[in-house]
Amino acid sequence: MRRRRSLTSRGAGALIAALGCMIAANVLGARILLYIGVLLAALTLFSLLAVRLPRRSGTVTRRISTDLLTVSETSRVTVRFTLRALRVPRGLWHDVLPDAVTGDSGGEYPPETGQLSYLITGVRRGVWPLGPLMLRTVDPFGLAQREQSFGDTRSVTVVPEVFALAPLAVRVGAAGGTAHTSSTRLGQGSDNLSPRGYIPGDSMRRIHWRATAHRGQLMVRQEEEESSPDAVVVLDRSSRHWDAPGVHADPAFETAVSLCASAAIHLASEGYSVDVIDGAGTLLGALRGHEDDRDGLLVALAMVTPRGESRDLASLIGGTPPGPLVFITGRLDEEDAALLRPAGATAPMLFSTELLPGAAEASAPHGWTVVEIGEDIAEAWEDAVSARIGVGDVPR
């Protein structure tokens, strides 16, 4: 708990006036000025003791109306603050907010409603602390003040904004056209009553308890035979394609992360099994229709930053090419674009926040649909979908 006691501007003025009166009393021989100076000094000392002596302690609990706060989304924070003291002072309170959120987190104490409440709006991705709660009280004469912090902080996770995107022109799989690919990933997928033996790495949520009890060994629900077309979204966060991280977020990288989240969630809603990876092959999220898949992806994307180097795209995808492949990068020059191959994906779409001269022309012969991301993410996606129709996709 942090405490800070000090004189207000009025208190400092009273102390200076007291000193001036004492000096003037000695110079002018006016005893009445001495009395006034002593009175002002004593009053200032009394005010300091009044705010210092009462022992105060309190408990603070916070509740946020949304578990995950999206950039530009508003959420309500409710603070329950119980103060134990010899007397309950009137004062001003405020909750300390990080720069990643905005809001008016202050008011008069004690509040009329019996609890403290305020609105916050997400500004920057990440996991940030709310608090501690600060209470500022002033003595009755307004000469001294005391500021004291109460309680611990509470973390708030600000996730990237997700936009509604236009549907793909066709439903594509690895075989091309409207073919569907079967998912080969173990331990994922939607529910299926056909059990199989447990394999290390399977999610415990997929355990088929009835089959486990019947056979005497761990069994999980079978997903491999489901017709679930695959899609891959790659967020290339290689440091050389982005500005160096600083105090302020790179708007281009924030746009790329938002497109990554939007594309992955959109493809999942269209029935694809979606893997989201970065340019180095790190899995950021896997969307298989489970309720917590979306939140898990958004939390992972809330903390990504530009770093490291990228690997060859073919090595990231592996042996089975996906249907839709969404590759999102920053600055892209002609040399890098010429080396970027879609690894057999049926519908490869390349998004860049800054296409340098010759980059689009160098990547197009490999089958990429190339779009530069502007301010409107949904518009950039729609441009890519429209371009896919132009190269031979047939609307469903």
Side-chain angles (χ1 to χ4, degrees):
M1 183 181 297
R2 185 179 65 192
R3 300 180 179 89
R4 187 172 65 191
R5 293 170 288 273
S6 63
L7 293 175
T8 64
S9 57
R10 181 186 298 180
L15 194 59
I16 293 173
L19 182 60
C21 288
M22 292 179 185
I23 295 174
N26 289 330
V27 174
L28 302 176
R31 187 177 294 272
I32 184 64
L33 292 178
L34 179 62
Y35 292 154
I36 294 175
V38 171
L39 177 62
L40 288 174
L43 189 60
T44 304
L45 178 60
F46 171 78
S47 298
L48 281 171
L49 294 175
V51 298
R52 176 175 181 174
L53 291 182
R55 300 185 61 184
R56 302 173 191 164
S57 61
T59 58
V60 179
T61 58
R62 294 178 184 82
R63 182 173 57 83
I64 306 175
S65 61
T66 54
D67 293 332
L68 300 177
L69 180 63
T70 303
V71 170
S72 77
E73 180 187 11
T74 298
S75 181
R76 179 170 295 277
V77 180
T78 302
V79 183
R80 297 188 181 276
F81 176 39
T82 303
L83 178 64
R84 295 181 292 274
L86 295 178
R87 62 185 179 89
V88 179
R90 297 202 67 86
L92 298 175
W93 66 270
H94 75 275
D95 223 2
V96 179
L97 298 182
D99 294 336
V101 300
T102 60
D104 183 9
S105 61
E108 293 187 359
Y109 184 86
E112 295 181 358
T113 60
Q115 65 183 14
L116 316 176
S117 181
Y118 59 92
L119 298 175
I120 58 173
T121 302
V123 175
R124 184 175 180 180
R125 294 178 303 108
V127 180
W128 312 97
L130 293 181
L133 185 120
M134 308 295 296
L135 178 62
R136 177 178 174 269
T137 55
V138 182
D139 75 287
F141 301 104
L143 302 178
Q145 63 182 359
R146 179 184 185 181
E147 190 173 67
Q148 187 174 359
S149 66
F150 295 88
D152 297 324
T153 61
R154 159 75 187 272
S155 294
V156 58
T157 302
V158 183
V159 300
E161 189 171 4
V162 177
F163 294 89
L165 303 179
L168 292 179
V170 295
R171 187 173 178 81
V172 293
T178 58
H180 293 211
T181 63
S182 296
S183 175
T184 59
R185 298 169 181 83
L186 303 181
Q188 305 292 344
S190 57
D191 291 345
N192 189 304
L193 296 181
S194 175
R196 60 165 173 80
Y198 175 82
I199 297 176
D202 286 333
S203 171
M204 296 299 289
R205 292 176 297 141
R206 310 306 299 163
I207 291 180
H208 195 303
W209 294 109
R210 182 175 297 178
T212 296
H214 178 72
R215 301 192 184 185
Q217 63 178 12
L218 282 177
M219 304 294 292
V220 297
R221 290 187 289 272
Q222 174 71 279
E223 289 94 14
E224 287 75 21
E225 298 305 319
E226 298 177 6
S227 179
S228 179
D230 292 337
V232 175
V233 179
V234 182
L235 175 63
D236 177 20
R237 51 180 179 145
S238 174
S239 55
R240 65 193 183 92
H241 291 154
W242 307 96
D243 292 337
V247 177
H248 301 288
D250 178 5
F253 188 74
E254 297 304 305
T255 299
V257 174
S258 186
L259 174 58
C260 177
S262 302
I265 292 173
H266 174 71
L267 290 172
S269 70
E270 290 201 336
Y272 292 95
S273 295
V274 184
D275 280 342
V276 183
I277 59 178
D278 66 10
T282 302
L283 182 66
L284 300 176
L287 304 183
R288 301 290 186 270
H290 303 312
E291 293 182 0
D292 57 347
D293 287 350
R294 180 181 186 274
D295 289 348
L297 171 64
L298 292 177
V299 170
L301 291 178
M303 297 178 285
V304 297
T305 57
R307 70 175 187 182
E309 295 295 332
S310 299
R311 291 167 45 193
D312 178 66
L313 186 56
S315 67
L316 299 181
I317 294 177
T320 303
L325 169 62
V326 179
F327 190 90
I328 306 167
T329 187
R331 285 184 298 271
L332 186 65
D333 58 26
E334 184 177 1
E335 182 181 357
D336 286 341
L339 298 175
L340 193 61
R341 306 299 174 91
T346 306
M349 293 183 286
L350 172 59
F351 295 89
S352 169
T353 60
E354 184 181 356
L355 281 171
L356 298 179
E361 293 77 7
S363 57
H366 300 310
W368 289 107
T369 298
V370 186
V371 174
E372 186 170 22
I373 313 171
E375 295 181 358
D376 193 329
I377 289 176
E379 182 180 0
W381 177 268
E382 188 171 356
D383 290 344
V385 171
S386 300
R388 291 301 314 171
I389 298 177
V391 297
D393 287 351
V394 181
R396 31 179 172 180

